[in-house]
Structures are given as structure tokens and as C-alpha cells.
């Protein structure tokens, strides 16, 4: 217990850093995922190609490699930002590909006739997607989106290797101070458990309220 009590501020700083990474990257992933899912089902061929390329490249690129590309590559092109912001970009873009596919799967569960009926009433593609398709698709994608964001929270541990303050990175300082490695990692695991269970509880609440009954 002394590992936690004597280093509570260190754990707290790492915990807050992981929460911030998770929240900001989740917002970016949801926004980009929505945009790319809209492109994937768009009637415009160039938009579909863009969405397909985005998903194909990011889903098949190791996240660590993406971190290297963003944190070490972008500054070479004159884009210098705080490392935490680079980490948010890497996590958010990577996760957006999985969010996109979850949303697209949900869109495909909506009967095709509903979209055709909306278009027959003179609604545009954007209006049909926003007012007819997505509200119904949202109900079926709550569980997979929740699982994806839980994975994002755990993936944020990679950021610690790139000088970003987060929970897993606290073990380096604790190891240098001579604390037990086992107990250091146990308390780190507890921190991640708190974050993932909070996300799980949030999406469980959303699923109970709006999810599709099975």
C-alpha cells in the first residue's frame, strides 16, 4: 500500500494524463469516424474511395508505427505541437477507423427502403443520413463503439514511450526509486481498471436506454 500512498501525486498525475488522452482522443475518433462513415456510404465515388483508403490504411498500420509517424514525422514538416497533442492525433485517427466501421455496420442494419422513401420525399443524402438513418443506426452501434473506446483507453499506454504523461509511464520513476515492480504495476492496473469500467458503465447506461432489445 505504501507504493500508492507515498507516490499518490505521481499516480494522480499519470491517471489524469491518461484520462485526458482518452477523452480528447475519443472525441476526435468519434468525429472523424462519423465523417468517414458518411464517406463510406456516400453516393459520391470519390468520397467512398477516401473513406475506404482511410480505414484500410489505419486499420492495417501498427499503432506504435503511427505514433512514430506523427510524433517524429510531423515536426520534420514544420508542424511543432506539444507531445500530448501529437498523441491525441495518433490515437484519435487510429481509433476513428474502427469507429467508422462500427458506424457503417450500424447504417447497414437500417432497411434500404427507409432511405429510398426519404429520397422519394425530396430529402438530400445528408438529410436522409442525419434524420432517418443515423438515429436508427446509433441504437445498434452503442456496444461496439463502447468496446472500441475501451481499447483506446488501454492503447493510450503507448504514449508513455514518447514522453507523454500517462499512467503506465509512472513505473519508470517508481522503478528508479526502488519500489516493488509488482506493486507498481498492480496500482497502475487498478487505475486503468477504473477508467475502463467507467467507460463500460457509461455505455451500458446508454445501451439500456437506447439500445436495440435482443
Amino acid at each position: 500500500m505504501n507504493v500508492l500512498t507515498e507516490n499518490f501525486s505521481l499516480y494522480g498525475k499519470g491517471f489524469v494524463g491518461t484520462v485526458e488522452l482518452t477523452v480528447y482522443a475519443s472525441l476526435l475518433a468519434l468525429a472523424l469516424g462519423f465523417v468517414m462513415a458518411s464517406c463510406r456510404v456516400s453516393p459520391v465515388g470519390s468520397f467512398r474511395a477516401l473513406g475506404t483508403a482511410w480505414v484500410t490504411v489505419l486499420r492495417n498500420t501498427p499503432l506504435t508505427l503511427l505514433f512514430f509517424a506523427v510524433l517524429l514525422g510531423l515536426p520534420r514538416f514544420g508542424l511543432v505541437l506539444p507531445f500530448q497533442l501529437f498523441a491525441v492525433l495518433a490515437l484519435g485517427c487510429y481509433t476513428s477507423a474502427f469507429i467508422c466501421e462500427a458506424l457503417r455496420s450500424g447504417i447497414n442494419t437500417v432497411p434500404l427502403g427507409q432511405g429510398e422513401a426519404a429520397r422519394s420525399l425530396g430529402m438530400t443524402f445528408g438529410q436522409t443520413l442525419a434524420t432517418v438513418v443515423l438515429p436508427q443506426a446509433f441504437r445498434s452501434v452503442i456496444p461496439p463503439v463502447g468496446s472500441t473506446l475501451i481499447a483506446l483507453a488501454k492503447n493510450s499506454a503507448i504514449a508513455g514511450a514518447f514522453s507523454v504523461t500517462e499512467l503506465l509511464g509512472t513505473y519508470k520513476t517508481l522503478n528508479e526509486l526502488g519500489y516493488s515492480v509488482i506493486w507498481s504495476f498492480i496500482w497502475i492496473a487498478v487505475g486503468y481498471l477504473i477508467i475502463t469500467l467507467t467507460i463500460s458503465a457509461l455505455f451500458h447506461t446508454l445501451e439500456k436506454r437506447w439500445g436495440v432489445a435482443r
Side-chain angles (χ1 to χ4, degrees), residues 24-34 91-93 95-96 99 149 152:
Y24 295 144
S26 295
L27 293 175
L28 178 60
L30 290 170
L32 285 175
F34 168 76
L91 275 171
C93 290
T95 308
S96 70
I99 295 290
L149 295 185
L152 182 152

Side-chain angles (χ1 to χ4, degrees), residues 67-79 86:
F67 264 88
F68 274 111
V70 172
L71 274 80
L72 303 180
L74 292 182
R76 293 180 178 271
F77 294 95
L79 184 58
F86 278 133

Side-chain angles (χ1 to χ4, degrees), residues 7-19:
N7 300 279
F8 191 78
S9 61
L10 179 64
Y11 273 114
K13 187 176 180 180
F15 182 83
V16 171
T18 295
V19 170

Side-chain angles (χ1 to χ4, degrees), residues 52-63 65 94 97-98:
T52 300
W54 181 272
V55 170
T56 301
V57 171
L58 290 176
R59 289 185 71 185
N60 293 284
T61 300
L63 180 55
L65 180 59
Y94 177 79
F98 297 90

Side-chain angles (χ1 to χ4, degrees), residues 1 5 18 31 35 54 66 97 112 114 141 144 172 179 206 208:
M1 194 69 182
T5 56
T18 295
V35 171
W54 181 272
L66 188 60
L112 186 62
Q114 296 199 25
V141 303
K172 299 175 185 177
Y179 287 97
L206 293 175
K208 285 181 64 178

Side-chain angles (χ1 to χ4, degrees), residues 38-58:
S38 300
C39 289
R40 293 292 311 265
V41 299
S42 171
V44 181
S46 57
F47 286 167
R48 291 198 304 271
L50 172 63
T52 300
W54 181 272
V55 170
T56 301
V57 171
L58 290 176

